[in-house]
Amino acid sequence: MTNSKQMPARLLREMIIASRFTLVGLTATGVHILVLWLLIGHTGIPTLLANLFAFLTAFGISFAGNYIWTFSAPGQPYKAVRRFLLISVSAFSINTLLLATLLAGNWLDPAHAAMACAIAIPAITFFASRLWGFNYARQTPQK
Protein backbone atom coordinates (compact mmCIF):
# COMPACT_ATOMS: atom_id res chain seq x y z
CA MET A 1 0.00 0.00 0.00
CA THR A 2 1.29 3.45 -0.89
CA ASN A 3 2.03 5.89 1.90
CA SER A 4 -0.32 8.89 1.75
CA LYS A 5 2.68 11.26 1.87
CA GLN A 6 4.15 9.59 -1.24
CA MET A 7 0.95 10.05 -3.24
CA PRO A 8 1.39 13.79 -4.03
CA ALA A 9 5.02 13.20 -5.07
CA ARG A 10 3.99 10.31 -7.33
CA LEU A 11 1.14 12.34 -8.81
CA LEU A 12 3.53 15.23 -9.51
CA ARG A 13 5.99 12.82 -11.14
CA GLU A 14 3.26 11.38 -13.37
CA MET A 15 2.11 14.88 -14.32
CA ILE A 16 5.67 15.82 -15.28
CA ILE A 17 5.99 12.65 -17.39
CA ALA A 18 2.64 13.34 -19.08
CA SER A 19 3.63 16.97 -19.71
CA ARG A 20 6.94 15.95 -21.25
CA PHE A 21 5.21 13.33 -23.38
CA THR A 22 2.77 16.00 -24.51
CA LEU A 23 5.56 18.41 -25.48
CA VAL A 24 7.45 15.73 -27.38
CA GLY A 25 4.21 14.63 -29.01
CA LEU A 26 3.27 18.16 -30.01
CA THR A 27 6.70 18.62 -31.54
CA ALA A 28 6.49 15.32 -33.42
CA THR A 29 2.91 16.07 -34.49
CA GLY A 30 3.95 19.50 -35.72
CA VAL A 31 6.75 17.94 -37.73
CA HIS A 32 4.37 15.27 -39.05
CA ILE A 33 1.88 17.90 -40.21
CA LEU A 34 4.60 20.16 -41.65
CA VAL A 35 6.21 17.34 -43.64
CA LEU A 36 2.80 16.15 -44.80
CA TRP A 37 1.67 19.60 -45.92
CA LEU A 38 4.99 20.23 -47.68
CA LEU A 39 4.78 16.92 -49.52
CA ILE A 40 1.11 17.36 -50.44
CA GLY A 41 1.59 20.97 -51.50
CA HIS A 42 4.89 20.72 -53.37
CA THR A 43 5.09 17.20 -54.81
CA GLY A 44 2.83 14.84 -56.67
CA ILE A 45 3.07 12.24 -53.89
CA PRO A 46 -0.31 10.71 -52.98
CA THR A 47 -1.62 11.75 -49.56
CA LEU A 48 -1.28 8.32 -47.95
CA LEU A 49 2.34 7.94 -49.10
CA ALA A 50 3.12 11.48 -47.94
CA ASN A 51 1.59 10.51 -44.59
CA LEU A 52 3.99 7.54 -44.37
CA PHE A 53 7.02 9.78 -44.93
CA ALA A 54 5.69 12.26 -42.38
CA PHE A 55 5.15 9.43 -39.87
CA LEU A 56 8.71 8.13 -40.26
CA THR A 57 10.16 11.60 -39.72
CA ALA A 58 7.98 12.23 -36.67
CA PHE A 59 8.77 8.75 -35.26
CA GLY A 60 12.48 9.54 -35.01
CA ILE A 61 11.77 12.76 -33.15
CA SER A 62 9.19 11.14 -30.91
CA PHE A 63 11.34 8.16 -29.94
CA ALA A 64 14.44 10.24 -29.18
CA GLY A 65 12.50 12.80 -27.17
CA ASN A 66 10.55 10.24 -25.18
CA TYR A 67 13.45 7.88 -24.58
CA ILE A 68 15.92 10.57 -23.51
CA TRP A 69 13.72 13.22 -21.90
CA THR A 70 10.25 11.93 -21.04
CA PHE A 71 11.17 8.53 -19.64
CA SER A 72 14.84 9.29 -18.82
CA ALA A 73 16.50 6.54 -20.90
CA PRO A 74 14.86 3.60 -19.08
CA GLY A 75 17.26 0.84 -20.03
CA GLN A 76 18.18 -0.77 -23.32
CA PRO A 77 17.40 1.56 -26.25
CA TYR A 78 16.99 -1.35 -28.69
CA LYS A 79 14.25 -2.91 -26.58
CA ALA A 80 12.58 0.47 -26.12
CA VAL A 81 12.70 1.30 -29.83
CA ARG A 82 11.16 -2.08 -30.74
CA ARG A 83 8.30 -1.58 -28.30
CA PHE A 84 7.78 2.04 -29.21
CA LEU A 85 7.86 1.12 -32.90
CA LEU A 86 5.12 -1.47 -32.32
CA ILE A 87 3.04 1.12 -30.45
CA SER A 88 3.70 3.73 -33.12
CA VAL A 89 2.96 1.40 -36.04
CA SER A 90 -0.31 0.41 -34.37
CA ALA A 91 -1.18 4.06 -33.86
CA PHE A 92 -0.10 4.82 -37.44
CA SER A 93 -2.32 2.01 -38.73
CA ILE A 94 -5.31 3.43 -36.88
CA ASN A 95 -4.35 6.90 -38.11
CA THR A 96 -4.09 5.68 -41.73
CA LEU A 97 -7.39 3.81 -41.58
CA LEU A 98 -9.09 6.92 -40.22
CA LEU A 99 -7.40 9.10 -42.85
CA ALA A 100 -8.43 6.77 -45.67
CA THR A 101 -12.00 6.77 -44.34
CA LEU A 102 -12.10 10.58 -44.18
CA LEU A 103 -10.64 10.87 -47.67
CA ALA A 104 -13.00 8.24 -49.13
CA GLY A 105 -15.97 10.00 -47.56
CA ASN A 106 -14.71 13.32 -48.95
CA TRP A 107 -15.55 14.90 -45.58
CA LEU A 108 -12.39 17.02 -45.33
CA ASP A 109 -9.68 18.17 -47.70
CA PRO A 110 -6.48 16.05 -47.44
CA ALA A 111 -4.53 18.47 -45.22
CA HIS A 112 -7.37 18.93 -42.71
CA ALA A 113 -8.15 15.20 -42.70
CA ALA A 114 -4.49 14.46 -41.91
CA MET A 115 -4.48 17.04 -39.11
CA ALA A 116 -7.65 15.56 -37.58
CA CYS A 117 -6.04 12.12 -37.60
CA ALA A 118 -2.77 13.36 -36.10
CA ILE A 119 -4.70 14.86 -33.19
CA ALA A 120 -6.81 11.73 -32.50
CA ILE A 121 -4.02 9.26 -31.63
CA PRO A 122 -1.79 10.69 -28.81
CA ALA A 123 -3.74 9.50 -25.74
CA ILE A 124 -3.58 5.87 -26.85
CA THR A 125 0.12 6.22 -27.58
CA PHE A 126 0.83 7.79 -24.17
CA PHE A 127 -0.83 5.06 -22.15
CA ALA A 128 0.72 2.28 -24.21
CA SER A 129 4.15 3.92 -23.89
CA ARG A 130 3.83 4.60 -20.17
CA LEU A 131 2.42 1.22 -19.24
CA TRP A 132 4.43 -0.97 -21.59
CA GLY A 133 6.72 0.67 -24.14
CA PHE A 134 9.12 2.40 -21.76
CA ASN A 135 8.15 0.52 -18.62
CA TYR A 136 10.25 -2.63 -19.02
CA ALA A 137 12.97 -1.33 -16.69
CA ARG A 138 10.51 -1.59 -13.78
CA GLN A 139 9.61 -5.16 -14.78
CA THR A 140 13.20 -6.34 -14.43
CA PRO A 141 14.26 -7.30 -10.90
CA GLN A 142 16.77 -4.86 -9.40
CA LYS A 143 20.21 -6.26 -8.56
Side-chain angles (χ1 to χ4, degrees), residues 5-32:
K5 291 181 182 180
Q6 293 174 336
M7 196 59 106
R10 182 179 172 126
L11 180 60
L12 178 62
R13 183 172 157 255
E14 293 300 320
M15 288 174 59
I16 290 169
I17 290 170
S19 296
R20 287 179 176 183
F21 188 87
T22 299
L23 290 173
V24 170
L26 287 172
T27 301
T29 298
V31 167
H32 186 129

PDB file of all heavy atoms in Angstrom, residues 5-32:
ATOM      1  N   LYS A   5       1.752  10.161   2.107  1.00  0.00           N
ATOM      2  CA  LYS A   5       2.682  11.255   1.867  1.00  0.00           C
ATOM      3  C   LYS A   5       3.394  11.083   0.523  1.00  0.00           C
ATOM      4  O   LYS A   5       3.843  12.056  -0.074  1.00  0.00           O
ATOM      5  CB  LYS A   5       3.712  11.344   2.989  1.00  0.00           C
ATOM      6  CG  LYS A   5       3.121  11.806   4.303  1.00  0.00           C
ATOM      7  CD  LYS A   5       4.181  11.892   5.373  1.00  0.00           C
ATOM      8  CE  LYS A   5       3.538  12.300   6.694  1.00  0.00           C
ATOM      9  NZ  LYS A   5       4.510  12.390   7.765  1.00  0.00           N
ATOM     10  N   GLN A   6       3.498   9.854   0.045  1.00  0.00           N
ATOM     11  CA  GLN A   6       4.145   9.593  -1.242  1.00  0.00           C
ATOM     12  C   GLN A   6       3.219   9.883  -2.415  1.00  0.00           C
ATOM     13  O   GLN A   6       3.680  10.109  -3.525  1.00  0.00           O
ATOM     14  CB  GLN A   6       4.601   8.136  -1.319  1.00  0.00           C
ATOM     15  CG  GLN A   6       5.705   7.793  -0.354  1.00  0.00           C
ATOM     16  CD  GLN A   6       6.019   6.306  -0.376  1.00  0.00           C
ATOM     17  OE1 GLN A   6       5.195   5.495  -0.747  1.00  0.00           O
ATOM     18  NE2 GLN A   6       7.231   5.967   0.043  1.00  0.00           N
ATOM     19  N   MET A   7       1.908   9.882  -2.159  1.00  0.00           N
ATOM     20  CA  MET A   7       0.947  10.051  -3.236  1.00  0.00           C
ATOM     21  C   MET A   7       1.103  11.391  -3.967  1.00  0.00           C
ATOM     22  O   MET A   7       1.137  11.387  -5.198  1.00  0.00           O
ATOM     23  CB  MET A   7      -0.482   9.900  -2.704  1.00  0.00           C
ATOM     24  CG  MET A   7      -1.466   9.691  -3.815  1.00  0.00           C
ATOM     25  SD  MET A   7      -1.091   8.222  -4.779  1.00  0.00           S
ATOM     26  CE  MET A   7      -2.358   7.165  -4.205  1.00  0.00           C
ATOM     27  N   PRO A   8       1.208  12.535  -3.287  1.00  0.00           N
ATOM     28  CA  PRO A   8       1.395  13.791  -4.034  1.00  0.00           C
ATOM     29  C   PRO A   8       2.687  13.806  -4.851  1.00  0.00           C
ATOM     30  O   PRO A   8       2.695  14.320  -5.978  1.00  0.00           O
ATOM     31  CB  PRO A   8       1.430  14.869  -2.953  1.00  0.00           C
ATOM     32  CG  PRO A   8       0.711  14.273  -1.787  1.00  0.00           C
ATOM     33  CD  PRO A   8       1.006  12.792  -1.862  1.00  0.00           C
ATOM     34  N   ALA A   9       3.752  13.242  -4.331  1.00  0.00           N
ATOM     35  CA  ALA A   9       5.017  13.196  -5.073  1.00  0.00           C
ATOM     36  C   ALA A   9       4.870  12.318  -6.311  1.00  0.00           C
ATOM     37  O   ALA A   9       5.360  12.669  -7.391  1.00  0.00           O
ATOM     38  CB  ALA A   9       6.143  12.685  -4.181  1.00  0.00           C
ATOM     39  N   ARG A  10       4.204  11.204  -6.178  1.00  0.00           N
ATOM     40  CA  ARG A  10       3.994  10.315  -7.329  1.00  0.00           C
ATOM     41  C   ARG A  10       3.089  10.970  -8.361  1.00  0.00           C
ATOM     42  O   ARG A  10       3.344  10.877  -9.568  1.00  0.00           O
ATOM     43  CB  ARG A  10       3.403   8.986  -6.866  1.00  0.00           C
ATOM     44  CG  ARG A  10       3.219   8.028  -8.008  1.00  0.00           C
ATOM     45  CD  ARG A  10       2.657   6.711  -7.567  1.00  0.00           C
ATOM     46  NE  ARG A  10       2.334   5.940  -8.733  1.00  0.00           N
ATOM     47  CZ  ARG A  10       2.767   4.723  -8.967  1.00  0.00           C
ATOM     48  NH1 ARG A  10       3.520   4.122  -8.088  1.00  0.00           N
ATOM     49  NH2 ARG A  10       2.417   4.091 -10.059  1.00  0.00           N
ATOM     50  N   LEU A  11       2.047  11.643  -7.890  1.00  0.00           N
ATOM     51  CA  LEU A  11       1.143  12.336  -8.808  1.00  0.00           C
ATOM     52  C   LEU A  11       1.891  13.435  -9.564  1.00  0.00           C
ATOM     53  O   LEU A  11       1.732  13.570 -10.781  1.00  0.00           O
ATOM     54  CB  LEU A  11      -0.042  12.929  -8.044  1.00  0.00           C
ATOM     55  CG  LEU A  11      -1.074  13.676  -8.872  1.00  0.00           C
ATOM     56  CD1 LEU A  11      -1.697  12.770  -9.920  1.00  0.00           C
ATOM     57  CD2 LEU A  11      -2.146  14.252  -7.963  1.00  0.00           C
ATOM     58  N   LEU A  12       2.726  14.186  -8.864  1.00  0.00           N
ATOM     59  CA  LEU A  12       3.526  15.227  -9.511  1.00  0.00           C
ATOM     60  C   LEU A  12       4.459  14.612 -10.551  1.00  0.00           C
ATOM     61  O   LEU A  12       4.582  15.131 -11.668  1.00  0.00           O
ATOM     62  CB  LEU A  12       4.324  16.020  -8.474  1.00  0.00           C
ATOM     63  CG  LEU A  12       5.239  17.109  -9.042  1.00  0.00           C
ATOM     64  CD1 LEU A  12       4.431  18.168  -9.776  1.00  0.00           C
ATOM     65  CD2 LEU A  12       6.063  17.733  -7.918  1.00  0.00           C
ATOM     66  N   ARG A  13       5.087  13.510 -10.201  1.00  0.00           N
ATOM     67  CA  ARG A  13       5.987  12.824 -11.135  1.00  0.00           C
ATOM     68  C   ARG A  13       5.243  12.380 -12.386  1.00  0.00           C
ATOM     69  O   ARG A  13       5.728  12.555 -13.505  1.00  0.00           O
ATOM     70  CB  ARG A  13       6.625  11.626 -10.434  1.00  0.00           C
ATOM     71  CG  ARG A  13       7.626  10.884 -11.289  1.00  0.00           C
ATOM     72  CD  ARG A  13       8.359   9.816 -10.446  1.00  0.00           C
ATOM     73  NE  ARG A  13       8.865   8.819 -11.327  1.00  0.00           N
ATOM     74  CZ  ARG A  13       8.352   7.601 -11.501  1.00  0.00           C
ATOM     75  NH1 ARG A  13       7.328   7.217 -10.789  1.00  0.00           N
ATOM     76  NH2 ARG A  13       8.869   6.759 -12.360  1.00  0.00           N
ATOM     77  N   GLU A  14       4.060  11.818 -12.221  1.00  0.00           N
ATOM     78  CA  GLU A  14       3.261  11.380 -13.369  1.00  0.00           C
ATOM     79  C   GLU A  14       2.815  12.570 -14.209  1.00  0.00           C
ATOM     80  O   GLU A  14       2.769  12.479 -15.440  1.00  0.00           O
ATOM     81  CB  GLU A  14       2.053  10.559 -12.913  1.00  0.00           C
ATOM     82  CG  GLU A  14       2.415   9.217 -12.294  1.00  0.00           C
ATOM     83  CD  GLU A  14       3.178   8.306 -13.251  1.00  0.00           C
ATOM     84  OE1 GLU A  14       2.846   8.258 -14.456  1.00  0.00           O
ATOM     85  OE2 GLU A  14       4.113   7.632 -12.795  1.00  0.00           O
ATOM     86  N   MET A  15       2.504  13.681 -13.577  1.00  0.00           N
ATOM     87  CA  MET A  15       2.109  14.880 -14.315  1.00  0.00           C
ATOM     88  C   MET A  15       3.281  15.432 -15.126  1.00  0.00           C
ATOM     89  O   MET A  15       3.096  15.896 -16.257  1.00  0.00           O
ATOM     90  CB  MET A  15       1.555  15.936 -13.361  1.00  0.00           C
ATOM     91  CG  MET A  15       0.190  15.575 -12.811  1.00  0.00           C
ATOM     92  SD  MET A  15      -0.423  16.702 -11.538  1.00  0.00           S
ATOM     93  CE  MET A  15      -0.430  18.260 -12.408  1.00  0.00           C
ATOM     94  N   ILE A  16       4.475  15.375 -14.556  1.00  0.00           N
ATOM     95  CA  ILE A  16       5.667  15.817 -15.279  1.00  0.00           C
ATOM     96  C   ILE A  16       5.911  14.912 -16.486  1.00  0.00           C
ATOM     97  O   ILE A  16       6.189  15.388 -17.584  1.00  0.00           O
ATOM     98  CB  ILE A  16       6.891  15.867 -14.349  1.00  0.00           C
ATOM     99  CG1 ILE A  16       6.734  17.020 -13.351  1.00  0.00           C
ATOM    100  CG2 ILE A  16       8.190  15.997 -15.145  1.00  0.00           C
ATOM    101  CD1 ILE A  16       7.751  17.012 -12.218  1.00  0.00           C
ATOM    102  N   ILE A  17       5.802  13.603 -16.288  1.00  0.00           N
ATOM    103  CA  ILE A  17       5.987  12.651 -17.392  1.00  0.00           C
ATOM    104  C   ILE A  17       4.953  12.911 -18.487  1.00  0.00           C
ATOM    105  O   ILE A  17       5.292  12.974 -19.671  1.00  0.00           O
ATOM    106  CB  ILE A  17       5.923  11.195 -16.884  1.00  0.00           C
ATOM    107  CG1 ILE A  17       7.170  10.889 -16.043  1.00  0.00           C
ATOM    108  CG2 ILE A  17       5.771  10.207 -18.040  1.00  0.00           C
ATOM    109  CD1 ILE A  17       7.104   9.578 -15.289  1.00  0.00           C
ATOM    110  N   ALA A  18       3.691  13.081 -18.091  1.00  0.00           N
ATOM    111  CA  ALA A  18       2.637  13.341 -19.076  1.00  0.00           C
ATOM    112  C   ALA A  18       2.878  14.668 -19.804  1.00  0.00           C
ATOM    113  O   ALA A  18       2.652  14.769 -21.021  1.00  0.00           O
ATOM    114  CB  ALA A  18       1.268  13.339 -18.402  1.00  0.00           C
ATOM    115  N   SER A  19       3.342  15.669 -19.086  1.00  0.00           N
ATOM    116  CA  SER A  19       3.628  16.973 -19.709  1.00  0.00           C
ATOM    117  C   SER A  19       4.777  16.864 -20.712  1.00  0.00           C
ATOM    118  O   SER A  19       4.721  17.439 -21.805  1.00  0.00           O
ATOM    119  CB  SER A  19       3.972  18.014 -18.640  1.00  0.00           C
ATOM    120  OG  SER A  19       2.868  18.234 -17.809  1.00  0.00           O
ATOM    121  N   ARG A  20       5.818  16.149 -20.336  1.00  0.00           N
ATOM    122  CA  ARG A  20       6.945  15.953 -21.252  1.00  0.00           C
ATOM    123  C   ARG A  20       6.510  15.176 -22.486  1.00  0.00           C
ATOM    124  O   ARG A  20       6.883  15.506 -23.608  1.00  0.00           O
ATOM    125  CB  ARG A  20       8.091  15.233 -20.552  1.00  0.00           C
ATOM    126  CG  ARG A  20       8.817  16.103 -19.558  1.00  0.00           C
ATOM    127  CD  ARG A  20       9.916  15.348 -18.872  1.00  0.00           C
ATOM    128  NE  ARG A  20      10.670  16.223 -17.994  1.00  0.00           N
ATOM    129  CZ  ARG A  20      11.732  15.851 -17.310  1.00  0.00           C
ATOM    130  NH1 ARG A  20      12.184  14.601 -17.396  1.00  0.00           N
ATOM    131  NH2 ARG A  20      12.352  16.707 -16.538  1.00  0.00           N
ATOM    132  N   PHE A  21       5.717  14.122 -22.265  1.00  0.00           N
ATOM    133  CA  PHE A  21       5.213  13.330 -23.383  1.00  0.00           C
ATOM    134  C   PHE A  21       4.387  14.209 -24.316  1.00  0.00           C
ATOM    135  O   PHE A  21       4.496  14.119 -25.545  1.00  0.00           O
ATOM    136  CB  PHE A  21       4.364  12.159 -22.865  1.00  0.00           C
ATOM    137  CG  PHE A  21       3.963  11.183 -23.930  1.00  0.00           C
ATOM    138  CD1 PHE A  21       4.795  10.142 -24.271  1.00  0.00           C
ATOM    139  CD2 PHE A  21       2.749  11.306 -24.582  1.00  0.00           C
ATOM    140  CE1 PHE A  21       4.433   9.228 -25.260  1.00  0.00           C
ATOM    141  CE2 PHE A  21       2.370  10.408 -25.570  1.00  0.00           C
ATOM    142  CZ  PHE A  21       3.219   9.364 -25.900  1.00  0.00           C
ATOM    143  N   THR A  22       3.587  15.088 -23.725  1.00  0.00           N
ATOM    144  CA  THR A  22       2.771  16.003 -24.512  1.00  0.00           C
ATOM    145  C   THR A  22       3.635  16.941 -25.345  1.00  0.00           C
ATOM    146  O   THR A  22       3.375  17.148 -26.537  1.00  0.00           O
ATOM    147  CB  THR A  22       1.829  16.810 -23.602  1.00  0.00           C
ATOM    148  OG1 THR A  22       0.963  15.897 -22.909  1.00  0.00           O
ATOM    149  CG2 THR A  22       0.996  17.809 -24.381  1.00  0.00           C
ATOM    150  N   LEU A  23       4.679  17.507 -24.740  1.00  0.00           N
ATOM    151  CA  LEU A  23       5.559  18.414 -25.479  1.00  0.00           C
ATOM    152  C   LEU A  23       6.294  17.699 -26.614  1.00  0.00           C
ATOM    153  O   LEU A  23       6.388  18.224 -27.728  1.00  0.00           O
ATOM    154  CB  LEU A  23       6.552  19.084 -24.534  1.00  0.00           C
ATOM    155  CG  LEU A  23       5.943  20.111 -23.577  1.00  0.00           C
ATOM    156  CD1 LEU A  23       6.989  20.583 -22.565  1.00  0.00           C
ATOM    157  CD2 LEU A  23       5.380  21.290 -24.344  1.00  0.00           C
ATOM    158  N   VAL A  24       6.791  16.511 -26.328  1.00  0.00           N
ATOM    159  CA  VAL A  24       7.454  15.731 -27.380  1.00  0.00           C
ATOM    160  C   VAL A  24       6.436  15.385 -28.466  1.00  0.00           C
ATOM    161  O   VAL A  24       6.720  15.503 -29.661  1.00  0.00           O
ATOM    162  CB  VAL A  24       8.108  14.453 -26.806  1.00  0.00           C
ATOM    163  CG1 VAL A  24       8.576  13.522 -27.915  1.00  0.00           C
ATOM    164  CG2 VAL A  24       9.273  14.815 -25.889  1.00  0.00           C
ATOM    165  N   GLY A  25       5.256  14.983 -28.060  1.00  0.00           N
ATOM    166  CA  GLY A  25       4.213  14.627 -29.015  1.00  0.00           C
ATOM    167  C   GLY A  25       3.768  15.802 -29.865  1.00  0.00           C
ATOM    168  O   GLY A  25       3.539  15.654 -31.073  1.00  0.00           O
ATOM    169  N   LEU A  26       3.640  16.969 -29.242  1.00  0.00           N
ATOM    170  CA  LEU A  26       3.272  18.157 -30.006  1.00  0.00           C
ATOM    171  C   LEU A  26       4.347  18.505 -31.028  1.00  0.00           C
ATOM    172  O   LEU A  26       4.035  18.878 -32.168  1.00  0.00           O
ATOM    173  CB  LEU A  26       3.014  19.341 -29.071  1.00  0.00           C
ATOM    174  CG  LEU A  26       1.723  19.281 -28.265  1.00  0.00           C
ATOM    175  CD1 LEU A  26       1.683  20.405 -27.226  1.00  0.00           C
ATOM    176  CD2 LEU A  26       0.506  19.335 -29.171  1.00  0.00           C
ATOM    177  N   THR A  27       5.596  18.370 -30.610  1.00  0.00           N
ATOM    178  CA  THR A  27       6.701  18.622 -31.542  1.00  0.00           C
ATOM    179  C   THR A  27       6.661  17.629 -32.694  1.00  0.00           C
ATOM    180  O   THR A  27       6.740  18.018 -33.872  1.00  0.00           O
ATOM    181  CB  THR A  27       8.056  18.551 -30.809  1.00  0.00           C
ATOM    182  OG1 THR A  27       8.059  19.521 -29.760  1.00  0.00           O
ATOM    183  CG2 THR A  27       9.213  18.811 -31.755  1.00  0.00           C
ATOM    184  N   ALA A  28       6.533  16.346 -32.373  1.00  0.00           N
ATOM    185  CA  ALA A  28       6.488  15.317 -33.419  1.00  0.00           C
ATOM    186  C   ALA A  28       5.258  15.497 -34.311  1.00  0.00           C
ATOM    187  O   ALA A  28       5.344  15.344 -35.534  1.00  0.00           O
ATOM    188  CB  ALA A  28       6.499  13.922 -32.791  1.00  0.00           C
ATOM    189  N   THR A  29       4.124  15.841 -33.709  1.00  0.00           N
ATOM    190  CA  THR A  29       2.907  16.068 -34.491  1.00  0.00           C
ATOM    191  C   THR A  29       3.070  17.269 -35.409  1.00  0.00           C
ATOM    192  O   THR A  29       2.668  17.229 -36.582  1.00  0.00           O
ATOM    193  CB  THR A  29       1.688  16.255 -33.565  1.00  0.00           C
ATOM    194  OG1 THR A  29       1.507  15.057 -32.801  1.00  0.00           O
ATOM    195  CG2 THR A  29       0.425  16.544 -34.354  1.00  0.00           C
ATOM    196  N   GLY A  30       3.684  18.331 -34.885  1.00  0.00           N
ATOM    197  CA  GLY A  30       3.949  19.503 -35.725  1.00  0.00           C
ATOM    198  C   GLY A  30       4.834  19.157 -36.906  1.00  0.00           C
ATOM    199  O   GLY A  30       4.574  19.584 -38.041  1.00  0.00           O
ATOM    200  N   VAL A  31       5.859  18.369 -36.648  1.00  0.00           N
ATOM    201  CA  VAL A  31       6.751  17.936 -37.731  1.00  0.00           C
ATOM    202  C   VAL A  31       5.983  17.055 -38.716  1.00  0.00           C
ATOM    203  O   VAL A  31       6.120  17.201 -39.934  1.00  0.00           O
ATOM    204  CB  VAL A  31       7.989  17.205 -37.163  1.00  0.00           C
ATOM    205  CG1 VAL A  31       8.762  16.487 -38.259  1.00  0.00           C
ATOM    206  CG2 VAL A  31       8.882  18.187 -36.424  1.00  0.00           C
ATOM    207  N   HIS A  32       5.174  16.144 -38.189  1.00  0.00           N
ATOM    208  CA  HIS A  32       4.369  15.266 -39.048  1.00  0.00           C
ATOM    209  C   HIS A  32       3.496  16.111 -39.981  1.00  0.00           C
ATOM    210  O   HIS A  32       3.487  15.898 -41.198  1.00  0.00           O
ATOM    211  CB  HIS A  32       3.497  14.366 -38.165  1.00  0.00           C
ATOM    212  CG  HIS A  32       2.738  13.325 -38.920  1.00  0.00           C
ATOM    213  ND1 HIS A  32       2.763  12.014 -38.559  1.00  0.00           N
ATOM    214  CD2 HIS A  32       1.920  13.394 -39.990  1.00  0.00           C
ATOM    215  CE1 HIS A  32       1.999  11.309 -39.392  1.00  0.00           C
ATOM    216  NE2 HIS A  32       1.471  12.138 -40.265  1.00  0.00           N
TER     217      HIS A  32
END
